[in-house]
Amino acid sequence: MKTSDLFQKKTVLSFEIFPPKPTADESVIYETLNGLANLQPDFISVTYGAGGGKNGSKTIQIASDIKHQYGIESIAHLPCISLSEQQAIEILDSLQTNGIENILALRGDISPDTKPNGRFCHASDLISFIHERYDFNIIAACYPEGHSESNNMIDDINFLKYKVSCGVSHLITQLFLDNDDFYRFRERAEIAGIHVPIEAGIMPVTNKVQIERMVKLCGIKLPKKFMKMMERYENNPTALRDAGIAYAIDQIVDLISHDADGIHLYTMNNPYVAKKIYEAVHRLLAVHR
Ligand code: FAD
């Protein structure tokens, strides 16, 4: 199923997972999936190592297993910055052979570990390439606080509009901790003429290292309310986890009340956290919009 078909019926709930590290025990991901599958999300997306490197075969395998073994729709992420045209074709052919219908097409982060190939400089280059040659449903990323490299929000929205026009059927946001950023962004997108569903990306912050990494990588803003919570519980891991779950639930309830098209939960491969959130919100998601 193409994930774009899901949004007409209900507020979508989806999960994101990442493949295990090359050195890790591969079976762990299936324990994670057993826990997540019980929650019957609308789809699960699988990240792809920065730069579109060789470990992508795990992304393809896991996305295929989610769909064919667990009977849940899947999305395979695909960052393009390091890919040649030939490599992109090989990966896309493999996704097609594995019966995967949905791709989250990304540029990928630019870092010392990623060597740009020069063929695909922006996600829109990959999206046009896929759209012209294949029948995949294409999803893309967006940034309620603006992308960290962007000069300003106007440029960012204009580039996003172009990206969507290349063949995108729905958008998923980067995590944000202040819903007002999401509402402002959604309004700007609407005014700019971007009319595809926008799923709100929510990350339950359950430890300090995790959020410090995200601030460094994505430059997201930490609201006062959130900082207060971190200060109070940072030395008590169980209390911090519970507070992080409660913060995410509070965000999600507010987003559903404000008619968000969907909630994309960055699960960090943690079924316990996903289950707690699911139990708190799943009946609210089912109420017709
Ligand atoms: P783009 O859409 O190309 O945008 C990047 C920057 O370029 C923005 O500042 C934009 O305004 C600007 N821009 C866009 N088009 C143009 C243009 N034509 N001319 C000039 N400037 C332009 N990374 C991974 O490596 N693997 C993953 O699995 C992964 N999953 C992600 C999932 C989600 C939901 C999100 C939000 C991000 C994910 N990322 C992942 C991170 C992503 O690769 C980075 O955020 C990256 O820096 C930007 O990717 P993009 O696809 O949004 O890029």
Side-chain angles (χ1 to χ4, degrees):
M1 184 207 278
K2 299 193 166 170
T3 53
S4 47
D5 295 339
L6 293 163
F7 292 90
Q8 286 134 17
K9 296 181 196 136
K10 65 187 278 280
T11 311
V12 165
L13 176 68
S14 56
F15 295 158
E16 179 176 301
I17 60 164
F18 51 82
K21 289 206 170 76
T23 48
D25 174 5
E26 299 229 342
S27 65
V28 174
I29 193 68
Y30 293 96
E31 282 168 32
T32 303
L33 281 174
N34 290 341
L36 295 178
N38 285 335
L39 310 179
Q40 298 185 321
D42 292 300
F43 67 83
I44 298 178
S45 81
V46 189
T47 66
Y48 197 116
K54 286 198 179 111
N55 62 348
S57 57
K58 278 196 187 155
T59 300
I60 300 174
Q61 183 60 53
I62 296 166
S64 172
D65 289 343
I66 290 169
K67 187 174 166 107
H68 302 297
Q69 288 185 24
Y70 290 88
I72 295 170
E73 200 43 68
S74 65
I75 292 181
H77 295 208
L78 180 57
C80 61
I81 187 75
S82 300
L83 297 180
S84 66
E85 200 166 298
Q86 189 50 37
Q87 286 168 322
I89 289 170
E90 280 167 23
I91 296 169
L92 292 163
D93 285 352
S94 174
L95 287 164
Q96 198 174 45
T97 310
N98 279 278
I100 293 158
E101 291 179 72
N102 305 289
I103 297 177
L104 174 50
L106 299 146
R107 184 196 68 182
D109 280 320
I110 294 176
S111 76
D113 303 331
T114 52
K115 207 167 153 247
N117 175 282
R119 168 60 181 90
F120 303 105
C121 297
H122 297 287
S124 51
D125 299 327
L126 178 66
I127 292 161
S128 300
F129 185 80
I130 300 173
H131 192 62
E132 282 159 18
R133 291 166 178 79
Y134 295 86
D135 184 36
F136 290 110
N137 178 48
I138 308 170
I139 301 100
C142 62
Y143 304 84
E145 298 175 53
H147 184 261
S148 56
E149 292 162 36
S150 222
N151 292 333
N152 55 61
M153 206 64 201
I154 296 173
D155 285 357
D156 212 35
I157 291 273
N158 284 336
F159 288 132
L160 181 64
K161 186 175 180 190
Y162 173 70
K163 176 158 82 170
V164 170
S165 77
C166 293
V168 168
S169 73
H170 106 248
L171 293 166
I172 304 180
T173 77
Q174 177 171 270
L175 78 129
F176 56 88
L177 294 162
D178 182 345
N179 286 0
D180 283 342
D181 289 323
F182 176 80
Y183 302 137
R184 260 192 302 273
F185 165 75
R186 186 172 63 170
E187 194 176 358
R188 284 176 178 143
E190 178 74 29
I191 291 167
I194 298 170
H195 300 307
V196 295
I198 304 176
E199 263 197 290
I202 296 296
M203 181 183 282
V205 179
T206 55
N207 71 67
K208 205 175 167 207
V209 176
Q210 174 196 359
I211 194 63
E212 282 169 354
R213 192 175 160 268
M214 293 316 293
V215 169
K216 201 169 156 211
L217 191 69
C218 320
I220 56 154
K221 196 172 76 193
L222 303 182
K224 212 165 150 190
K225 182 174 145 184
F226 179 84
M227 292 295 287
K228 272 279 179 216
M229 179 189 87
M230 293 300 290
E231 278 165 27
R232 182 159 181 110
Y233 301 116
E234 65 181 323
N235 296 318
N236 184 332
T238 310
L240 182 59
R241 182 196 65 191
D242 291 349
I245 291 171
Y247 193 96
I249 291 170
D250 187 41
Q251 271 194 285
I252 294 170
V253 172
D254 185 62
L255 286 161
I256 297 170
S257 309
H258 283 79
D259 280 333
D261 294 310
I263 307 294
H264 187 67
L265 200 63
Y266 293 100
T267 69
M268 305 307 285
N269 292 14
N270 187 331
Y272 173 86
V273 172
K275 184 164 183 268
K276 289 284 167 202
I277 293 172
Y278 170 83
E279 284 170 350
V281 305
H282 77 279
R283 283 190 205 86
L284 308 180
L285 294 161
V287 175
H288 215 280
R289 288 199 278 148

